[in-house]
C-alpha cells in the first residue's frame, strides 16, 4: 500500500484543536483509546536504509508486526508493506525488498522508539475513515531501556479521503500553533545526524552552465541507475510503476539506456570499467526481457482480437493463446525472482552504486561538453541514417532488418537525450522526432513478433483447428499493421532529418 501523510512539530503545551469542523456533512470525528507502541528498527551499521529514506521495523502489538517503508520520490508519500513473523526474525521477503539499500550488509537493531499515541479518525456519514490524525509523544530508548530523547509530533495520514481534506485538517492544526516540518520519520529523528546524511546512491544533481563532457555523462548515468534501483522492490512486489507502466518495463528501459550510454560515450570511459558493467547490464536486461515480452504480447493479443467488432474471433481460442502467454510470463517472473536473489545481481547493484558515485573516466572527459559530445552522438546518428540503417530500408526489407534499424534508432535517441540538457533546442527537437521514429519502428517490431507468436503457438497444437484459424486471422491483422507502419516511416524520418534538428551534429 501507499502511505501519504503530513507531519507537524508541536511542544508539550500544544492543545489539539477541535477537528469536528473538518468532517463532511453527516460525518464525525472519532477518538480512539490511547495506545503505546514500541518499535525496534533494523538497519546496517552505517544506516544505509535510514539515509535512503527507508525503514525496516518490528512494532509490538500490530497484527502484522514487521513493516518496510520505501520512499517514492514524493515527500510524505511512501510504500508500506507489512508481514507477520516473530520479533527476532524479519521476514526474508521484507529484507529482500531493501536489497538495493543494504546490498548484503547485515541488518542489526539500531534504535527503539516508544510512542504513546492518541488517534482521531475523521469519518464520513457511513463511518468510513477519511483521514487519521495522531498525536504522538515519542521516547527514544537505548539498549538498556534508558531514555535518550523525547519529542512530540502530529501526523495526518490520508485514508479513504482526498488530498483536499488532508490539507484542510492540516490547516486547522497550523491555526492552533502546529509547525509544518520537513518529513522526517521518527526513527531518523531518533538516530540523529548520521541518519540524515547523504544516501549511498548519489542522485542526479543538475548541470552547471558550462559542464565538462564527464559531468554530462555522470548525470545521465545517475538518472538511469536511480531509475533501475528504484524499481527493484516494485518488481519483487509485482507492483505497478508510476503512470500505469510496469516496474519490469521501467527496470529494463533503465538497463538499455545505461548500456547505450556506456557504448556512446565509450571514448570517455575506462574500458576495463565500462566493459564489464555493460556485460552485466545485458545479462540483467535479458532476464527482464522474457517477462516484458510476454507482458506486451498479452496486452496486444486482446487489442488485436477486439480490433474489428464486426468480425469477431473465437473467444475460446483467444483465451487459450492468453493462457499460453500467461504461463510464459509466470515462468519468466520466476526467473526474475531467482535472478534478484543471486550473488551476481547483488554484485551488480554494488557496482551501480559505485558507478553513480564516481564513474571511471579517461582524460578526454575533462573537455567541455559542448565541444566533445556532439561528435560522439554523431556516430550512432550516422549509423542510423546510413545504408545499414534507415537509408537501407524499403518496403520489402525483411523483418529482422527493420528490427536491427530499430535498435540503432534506440541508440541514437538515447545518445541525443543524454546530451540534450547541454546542447539545447536542436537536440531536444531531434529527440522528439526520434521518439516518433521509434514509435513507428516499435509498432512494426511488436506486430511482427506477435504474428509469428500466434502462428507458433498454433503450430504446437496441430489438432486444434479453431486455434489454427484464429491464430491465422490474428496474424493477418498483425501483418496489416506491419505494412501500415512501413508506410509511416518515411514521413517520420523526414521530420527527424530536417536541418533545424540536426545542424548541431558535426
Amino acid at each position: 500500500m501507499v502511505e501519504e501523510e503530513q507531519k507537524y512539530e508541536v511542544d508539550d503545551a500544544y492543545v489539539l484543536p477541535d477537528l469536528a469542523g473538518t468532517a463532511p456533512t453527516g460525518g464525525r470525528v472519532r477518538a480512539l483509546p490511547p495506545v503505546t507502541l514500541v518499535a525496534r528498527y533494523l538497519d546496517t551499521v552505517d544506516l544505509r536504509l535510514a539515509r535512503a529514506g527507508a525503514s525496516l521495523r518490528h512494532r509490538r502489538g500490530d497484527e502484522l508486526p514487521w513493516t518496510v517503508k520505501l520512499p517514492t520520490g514524493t515527500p510524505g508519500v511512501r510504500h508500506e508493506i507489512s508481514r507477520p513473523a516473530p520479533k527476532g526474525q524479519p521476514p526474508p521477503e521484507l529484507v529482500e525488498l531493501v536489497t538495493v539499500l543494504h546490498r548484503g550488509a547485515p541488518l542489526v537493531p539500531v534504535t527503539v522508539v516508544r510512542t504513546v499515541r492518541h488517534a482521531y479518525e475523521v469519518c464520513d456519514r457511513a463511518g468510513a475513515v477519511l483521514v487519521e490524525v495522531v498525536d504522538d509523544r515519542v521516547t527514544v530508548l537505548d539498549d538498556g531501556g534508558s531514555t535518550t530523547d523525547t519529542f512530540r509530533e502530529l501526523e495526518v495520514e490520508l485514508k479513504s479521503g482526498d488530498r483536499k481534506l488532508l490539507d484542510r485538517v492540516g490547516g486547522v492544526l497550523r491555526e492552533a500553533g502546529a509547525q509544518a516540518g520537513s518529513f522526517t520519520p521518527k526513527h531518523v529523528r531518533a538516530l540523529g545526524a548520521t541518519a540524515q546524511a547523504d544516501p549511498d546512491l548519489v542522485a542526479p544533481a543538475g548541470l552547471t552552465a558550462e559542464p565538462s563532457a564527464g559531468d554530462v555523462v555522470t548525470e545521465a548515468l545517475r538518472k538511469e541507475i536511480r531509475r533501475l534501483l528504484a524499481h527493484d522492490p516494485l518488481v519483487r512486489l509485482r507492483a505497478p510503476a508510476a503512470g500505469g507502466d510496469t516496474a519490469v518495463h521501467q527496470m529494463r528501459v533503465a538497463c538499455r539506456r545505461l548500456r547505450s550510454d556506456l557504448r556512446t560515450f565509450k571514448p570517455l570511459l575506462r574500458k576495463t570499467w565500462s566493459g564489464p558493467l555493460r556485460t552485466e547490464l545485458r545479462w540483467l536486461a535479458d532476464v527482464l526481457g522474457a517477462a516484458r515480452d510476454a507482458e506486451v504480447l498479452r496486452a496486444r493479443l486482446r487489442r488485436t482480437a477486439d480490433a474489428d467488432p464486426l468480425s469477431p474471433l473465437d473467444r475460446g481460442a483467444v483465451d487459450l493463446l492468453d493462457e499460453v502467454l500467461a504461463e510464459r510470463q509466470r515462468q519468466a517472473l520466476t526467473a526474475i525472482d531467482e535472478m534478484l536473489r543471486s550473488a551476481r545481481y547483488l554484485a551488480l547493484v554494488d557496482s551501480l552504486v559505485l558507478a553513480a558515485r564516481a564513474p571511471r573516466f579517461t582524460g578526454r572527459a575533462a573537455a567541455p561538453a559542448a565541444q566533445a559530445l556532439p561528435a560522439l552522438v554523431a556516430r550512432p546518428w550516422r549509423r542510423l541514417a546510413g545504408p545499414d540503417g534507415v537509408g537501407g530500408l524499403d518496403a520489402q526489407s525483411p523483418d529482422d532488418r527493420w528490427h536491427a534499424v530499430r535498435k540503432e534508432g534506440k541508440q541514437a535517441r538515447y545518445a541525443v537525450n543524454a546530451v540534450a540538457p547541454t546542447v539545447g533546442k536542436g537536440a531536444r527537437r531531434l529527440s522528439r522526432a526520434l521518439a516518433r521514429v521509434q514509435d513507428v519502428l516499435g509498432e512494426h517490431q511488436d506486430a511482427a513478433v506477435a504474428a509469428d507468436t500466434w502462428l507458433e503457438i498454433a503450430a504446437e497444437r496441430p489438432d486444434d483447428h479453431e486455434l489454427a484459424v484464429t491464430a491465422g486471422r490474428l496474424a493477418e491483422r498483425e501483418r496489416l499493421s506491419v505494412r501500415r507502419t512501413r508506410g509511416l516511416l518515411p514521413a517520420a524520418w523526414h521530420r527527424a532529418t530536417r536541418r533545424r534538428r540536426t545542424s548541431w551534429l558535426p
Side-chain angles (χ1 to χ4, degrees), residues 164-479:
K164 187 181 296 185
L165 177 59
L166 187 72
D167 292 338
R168 185 161 71 246
V169 172
V172 171
L173 297 178
R174 289 194 299 273
E175 287 175 6
Q179 299 294 316
S182 59
F183 185 83
T184 304
K186 289 182 179 63
H187 74 291
V188 172
R189 189 168 172 178
L191 288 165
T194 303
Q196 299 181 50
D198 291 336
D200 286 352
L201 180 62
V202 180
L207 295 169
T208 61
E210 297 182 356
S212 69
D215 292 337
V216 174
V217 175
T218 297
E219 190 76 356
L221 294 178
R222 286 176 177 172
K223 179 181 177 182
E224 296 308 323
I225 291 171
R226 186 180 183 88
R227 185 210 296 246
L228 191 158
L229 298 184
H231 286 91
D232 168 293
L234 299 183
V235 170
R236 296 173 191 267
L237 287 169
R238 308 285 194 262
D245 200 356
T246 67
V248 169
H249 182 220
Q250 283 294 309
M251 204 169 176
R252 189 189 189 194
V253 167
C255 287
R256 284 178 165 176
R257 292 195 175 204
L258 283 168
R259 292 187 67 244
S260 177
D261 289 342
L262 291 172
R263 179 185 176 190
T264 298
F265 304 115
K266 185 177 178 180
L268 307 180
L269 300 164
R270 293 189 183 180
K271 186 177 180 180
T272 55
W273 176 81
S274 62
L277 192 55
R278 284 193 69 216
T279 298
E280 292 306 281
L281 286 167
R282 180 173 184 173
W283 162 72
L284 176 56
D286 286 346
V287 177
L288 294 167
R292 174 57 182 169
D293 291 346
E295 188 176 84
V296 170
L297 284 167
R298 292 188 72 190
R300 190 174 187 93
L301 171 63
R302 297 298 178 180
R303 189 165 64 250
T304 303
D306 296 338
D308 187 356
L310 298 179
S311 182
L313 303 182
D314 182 87
R315 301 313 300 179
V318 173
D319 289 344
L320 177 57
L321 289 168
D322 185 61
E323 288 173 11
V324 173
L325 295 174
E327 179 57 29
R328 292 183 184 181
Q329 188 176 15
R330 282 190 290 271
Q331 292 177 7
L333 290 172
T334 298
I336 289 176
D337 290 339
E338 293 172 356
M339 176 271 294
L340 292 175
R341 297 187 183 107
S342 69
R344 183 177 181 180
Y345 176 71
L346 197 61
L348 174 57
V349 169
D350 228 11
S351 296
L352 290 171
V353 172
L354 293 173
R357 184 180 304 162
R360 305 294 296 277
F361 289 114
T362 64
R364 294 177 60 180
Q371 295 177 18
L373 295 182
L376 296 180
V377 176
R379 294 178 180 180
W381 169 256
R382 285 194 294 268
R383 288 196 300 269
L384 177 62
D388 292 332
V390 176
L393 279 183
D394 59 44
Q396 280 69 49
S397 298
D399 291 344
D400 60 354
R401 279 284 299 118
W402 281 76
H403 180 44
V405 173
R406 178 189 180 222
K407 291 192 289 186
E408 293 293 353
K410 283 181 178 288
Q411 175 81 18
R413 183 187 170 204
Y414 292 160
V416 172
N417 285 348
V419 304
T422 299
V423 173
K425 187 181 295 184
R428 291 194 294 272
R429 286 172 172 167
L430 181 56
S431 176
R432 288 193 293 270
L434 285 176
R436 174 56 182 158
V437 172
Q438 279 302 111
D439 287 343
V440 172
L441 293 171
E443 170 62 20
H444 180 282
Q445 173 65 7
D446 289 349
V449 169
D452 291 344
T453 301
W454 313 144
L455 297 176
E456 167 209 323
I457 294 174
E460 294 171 353
R461 295 162 175 78
D463 296 331
D464 191 332
H465 301 297
E466 192 57 54
L467 178 62
V469 170
T470 301
R473 293 179 66 189
L474 284 167
E476 286 178 357
R477 293 180 182 183
E478 300 293 3
R479 294 310 303 182

